[in-house]
Each structure stands twice: as structure tokens, then as C-alpha cells.
């Protein structure tokens, strides 16, 4: 892709919802505002998602902790929800970005984009 097409593509993403994966396994979902030559990304109205800690998964599997609320347990599977929080405006450093996904609009999706 030549430079002009790359710039046009980035321009087309401004105002769209992106899902940005970081090296520490966090996922940021927010409105794309801009980027720079260092590949830093600025997102607005951003939610941060984290995978549950090993202790939370262990507690959910054994049913020993009430903090496992929002989890489901059956004989062979344990399901524990990701934790999330609203962080607003965020700069994700380019060196820590592992993947970027475009969030496709869906009228049936709730405000929380990772909940289905």
C-alpha cells in the first residue's frame, strides 16, 4: 500500500471503534482519534478489559470465593468474565500494541462491546 492510500485508510478509521490488544493482555475498546509516527494510538470513550487472574479462575473452579460472581461452573468447564472499567481518553504506546481490530457496528450489541 502506498503512503497516500495508507493515510486515506487511517483517515477513514477516525471516529470508528477500535479494539487494541496490548502486550500485557489488556484490551482497549474505544473511538479512534489519532496516531503518530511512533504508532501510538489515542482512543476516546475507552473501556479497558483484563483477563481474570489465575487466583480468580482457581476460586471459581473450586467455588470457594464469592468474588467469582458472574462466573459459571459445570463438571468440566469454568467460565469467568473479563473485568472491565471505563477509562475515557487513553494513549496506547505503539511498542505495546500487538493487534488492532475494527469493531463492526451492530444494532443488537449492548454498550459494553465485549459482552455478547
Amino acid at each position: 500500500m502506498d503512503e497516500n492510500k495508507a493515510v486515506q485508510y487511517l483517515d477513514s478509521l477516525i471516529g470508528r471503534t477500535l479494539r487494541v490488544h496490548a502486550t500485557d493482555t489488556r484490551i482497549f475498546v474505544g473511538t479512534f482519534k489519532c496516531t503518530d509516527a511512533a504508532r501510538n494510538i489515542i482512543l476516546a470513550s475507552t473501556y479497558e478489559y483484563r483477563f481474570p487472574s489465575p487466583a480468580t479462575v482457581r476460586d471459581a473452579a473450586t467455588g470457594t470465593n464469592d468474588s467469582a460472581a458472574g462466573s459459571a461452573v459445570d463438571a468440566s468447564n469454568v467460565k469467568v468474565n473479563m473485568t472491565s472499567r471505563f477509562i475515557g481518553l487513553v494513549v496506547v504506546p505503539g511498542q505495546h500494541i500487538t493487534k488492532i481490530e475494527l469493531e463492526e457496528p451492530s444494532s443488537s450489541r449492548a454498550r459494553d462491546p465485549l459482552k455478547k
Side-chain angles (χ1 to χ4, degrees):
M1 180 182 292
D2 70 8
E3 185 176 337
N4 287 336
K5 285 187 179 183
V7 169
Q8 287 176 348
Y9 180 70
L10 282 173
D11 280 344
S12 75
L13 294 178
I14 293 174
R16 307 273 306 269
T17 302
L18 297 183
R19 186 181 305 157
V20 179
H21 298 253
T23 54
D24 63 359
T25 72
R26 289 184 294 171
I27 301 170
F28 300 95
V29 179
T31 304
F32 178 58
K33 292 298 180 182
C34 67
T35 188
D36 62 12
R39 298 180 307 222
N40 300 314
I41 290 181
I42 296 180
L43 299 174
S45 303
T46 306
Y47 284 86
E48 174 196 62
Y49 295 88
R50 293 176 181 253
F51 287 97
S53 68
T56 302
V57 174
R58 183 178 54 252
D59 290 346
T62 60
T64 60
N65 192 344
D66 290 334
S67 70
S71 63
V73 179
D74 73 20
S76 61
N77 293 321
V78 175
K79 179 182 175 185
V80 182
N81 294 330
M82 296 178 77
T83 59
S84 67
R85 66 182 179 146
F86 180 76
I87 56 175
L89 191 65
V90 66
V91 177
V92 184
Q95 66 192 25
H96 295 293
I97 296 172
T98 59
K99 181 166 63 169
I100 301 170
E101 300 173 293
L102 178 62
E103 185 82 15
E104 294 297 326
S106 173
S107 60
S108 64
R109 183 171 285 172
R111 173 64 187 122
D112 192 349
L114 287 185
K115 289 187 179 177
K116 296 187 179 188

